[in-house]
Amino acid sequence: MDFKALLMGLAFAFMWSSAFTSARMIVVDAPPLLSLSARFLVSGLIGVALARLMGETWRLTRAQWRATIIFGICQNGAYLGLNFIAMQWIEASAAAIIASTLPLMVALAGFVFFGDRLKPLAIAGLVAGFGGVILIMGARLGSGLDPLGTALCVLAAMALTVATLALRGASSGGNVMMVVGLQMLIGSVVLIGPSLAFETLSVTLTPRLILAFLYTTLVPGLAATWVWFKLVQRIGTVRGATFHFLNPFFGVAIAAALLGETLGVVDIIGVAIIMAGILAVQLSKAPPAR
């Protein structure tokens, strides 16, 4: 892995993890699905415009279209939609911890549904990673963590697992920025219907909401997604996903720094265990060094 790929991976992990804190700020002052649909509309239009300026086309291959639609529905519609709803009731750090189990859930899904063989290191990583999550969530549920919000985050992580399994087809064949923009527009369309049907469209326009909306739209939304696609193209999905082991740390650290969310000893131990488990799973997939 070269130095540029390392910087890209670190940048992606930080930007992706910061989205939980900015989302928590947004849902305090605006309906979650409406704000998320608006975010995807803005970032999608920007992404498509940038793609055209870069000479890209929306004439994608059939595999790209299929994967882009699945990715837009599962990640932007289901995963982020459920997380935004959940963060009306739970802390950003809790949502980040649950979402960080993505590499573990992908590995488990590969074993259960596709017959992937798991090395002993991967099995140990799965046990450790999910054990760390159970440790943290058990302690927090005992301290009043909302069960419904927690369940929504788990369902969201499952949707993200499906989106990740569809990623390879969307990131091959070029037109990366166009794919990024189009899957965001798909997410906007998916979310606006439920928002109009079920939400009270009341927005309290505050400086915090404006800044958080702009940041979420441009950084975790547009920049992080583009960096992820480029990272996968550069070093592959397996090596790229290794950087997800940093998400639990970044997620809880940013929430603690900007939102003042408290971290107990159990949280710190659990995060360390999850990080070790994710790293073990990803390292077990890496090809041997030559």
Side-chain angles (χ1 to χ4, degrees), residues 103-185:
L104 305 176
M105 297 183 75
V106 168
L108 185 60
F111 171 73
V112 173
F113 297 108
F114 299 104
D116 294 347
R117 297 182 64 182
L118 295 179
K119 297 179 181 179
L121 182 60
I123 296 173
L126 285 172
V127 173
F130 286 121
V133 173
I134 293 172
L135 179 66
I136 295 174
M137 291 300 111
R140 291 198 175 196
L141 285 169
S143 301
L145 182 67
D146 186 82
L148 176 59
T150 302
L152 290 176
C153 285
V154 173
L155 290 175
M158 292 179 179
L160 183 57
T161 300
V162 176
T164 301
L165 294 175
L167 177 60
R168 181 171 296 179
S171 61
S172 60
N175 295 316
V176 174
M177 183 56 75
M178 182 62 72
V179 168
V180 171
L182 290 175
Q183 54 96 2
M184 289 183 176
L185 291 178

Side-chain angles (χ1 to χ4, degrees), residues 49-115:
L50 288 175
R52 296 300 292 162
L53 290 174
M54 295 163 63
E56 296 183 4
T57 176
W58 43 62
R59 294 178 180 175
L60 308 179
T61 65
R62 181 177 297 180
Q64 279 185 311
W65 272 117
R66 181 174 60 251
T68 300
I69 292 171
I70 295 173
F71 199 73
I73 294 173
C74 292
Q75 172 174 282
N76 298 336
Y79 164 68
L80 287 174
L82 290 171
N83 264 307
F84 264 59
I85 294 172
M87 276 187 284
Q88 296 175 104
W89 309 304
I90 69 171
E91 295 180 327
S93 57
I97 289 168
I98 296 172
S100 70
T101 61
L102 169 65
L104 305 176
M105 297 183 75
V106 168
L108 185 60
F111 171 73
V112 173
F113 297 108
F114 299 104

Side-chain angles (χ1 to χ4, degrees), residues 17-32 35-36 39 80 83-96 140 145-146 149 153 206 208-209 212-213 215-216 220 251 254-256 258-261:
S17 302
S18 69
F20 298 96
T21 294
S22 58
R24 176 68 173 167
M25 295 178 179
I26 289 172
V27 299
V28 172
D29 298 313
S35 57
L36 193 55
R39 165 198 155 178
L80 287 174
N83 264 307
F84 264 59
I85 294 172
M87 276 187 284
Q88 296 175 104
W89 309 304
I90 69 171
E91 295 180 327
S93 57
R140 291 198 175 196
L145 182 67
D146 186 82
C153 285
T206 63
R208 175 182 60 188
L209 173 62
F213 181 84
Y215 176 83
T216 306
I254 295 170
L258 297 183
L259 300 177
E261 295 185 5

